[in-house]
Amino acid sequence: MDFASSQTLICSVGGLLCSLPVAGVVETFRPLPVERVAGAPEFMLGLAMVRGEPVPVVDLSRLLNGHAGNPTRFVLVKADERRVVLAVDGVVGIRAIEAEQMRSMPPLLRDADTGVVSAVGTLDSALFLMLQAAHIVPEDFFDEAARRLAS
């Protein structure tokens, strides 16, 4: 797989470094109150009101590591035509990730992958994961957010 150089937002998540393409990041902010939604996957914290709209909130640490994180920042990202909040432990900063830093997913990870991680790489000798926000939230969760907005 060929990777182009790109600007990314680097976040810390449960001891991992994760990167998101800057083009998909809307804003970062302090955590807001979150309303749980019955029946949601464990990694879904619920819905938060962001600028008057209910937006799904994902505990990125729970999604990637299987255990709850210690979110100190929310990152609002575009997921195709929708928006998702990623709860992260911290925002490290914006960095240019060069193509030679990126590698295709190793076979073991590729087989277990849900489409959230698009590639792995190294940053200052630390492993990091390149994320794809479009594949994080189940479709029915967006339907629940729309239902709540209508009521």
Side-chain angles (χ1 to χ4, degrees):
M1 177 180 276
D2 292 327
F3 298 97
S5 175
S6 63
Q7 290 286 91
T8 65
L9 180 73
I10 307 294
C11 300
S12 60
V13 178
L16 295 171
L17 290 178
C18 297
S19 66
L20 296 156
V22 168
V25 175
V26 177
E27 65 180 307
T28 66
F29 48 94
R30 291 188 182 106
L32 299 171
V34 176
E35 181 182 332
R36 288 283 303 154
V37 175
E42 278 197 38
F43 64 86
M44 299 296 304
L45 294 178
L47 296 169
M49 291 300 287
V50 179
R51 304 204 183 286
E53 179 183 338
V55 179
V57 179
V58 172
D59 179 342
L60 206 48
S61 181
R62 188 174 293 278
L63 177 66
L64 298 173
N65 294 326
H67 56 81
N70 183 26
T72 63
R73 300 299 287 177
F74 277 7
V75 180
L76 181 63
V77 297
K78 293 181 271 187
D80 290 332
E81 300 300 316
R82 298 184 166 139
R83 300 181 324 153
V84 175
V85 170
L86 304 177
V88 300
D89 296 349
V91 173
V92 176
I94 295 175
R95 294 279 300 263
I97 302 297
E98 302 300 326
E100 58 270 7
Q101 293 174 274
M102 303 301 301
R103 304 286 180 263
S104 296
M105 294 288 290
L108 180 62
L109 292 176
R110 194 178 323 118
D111 294 343
D113 185 37
T114 60
V116 174
V117 178
S118 63
V120 296
T122 56
L123 180 65
D124 300 332
S125 76
L127 177 70
F128 78 93
L129 306 175
M130 179 71 77
L131 304 181
Q132 300 181 97
H135 300 282
I136 293 176
V137 178
E139 189 66 31
D140 58 344
F141 209 83
F142 283 112
D143 296 340
E144 176 64 15
R147 185 189 67 73
R148 289 182 184 225
L149 182 60
S151 58

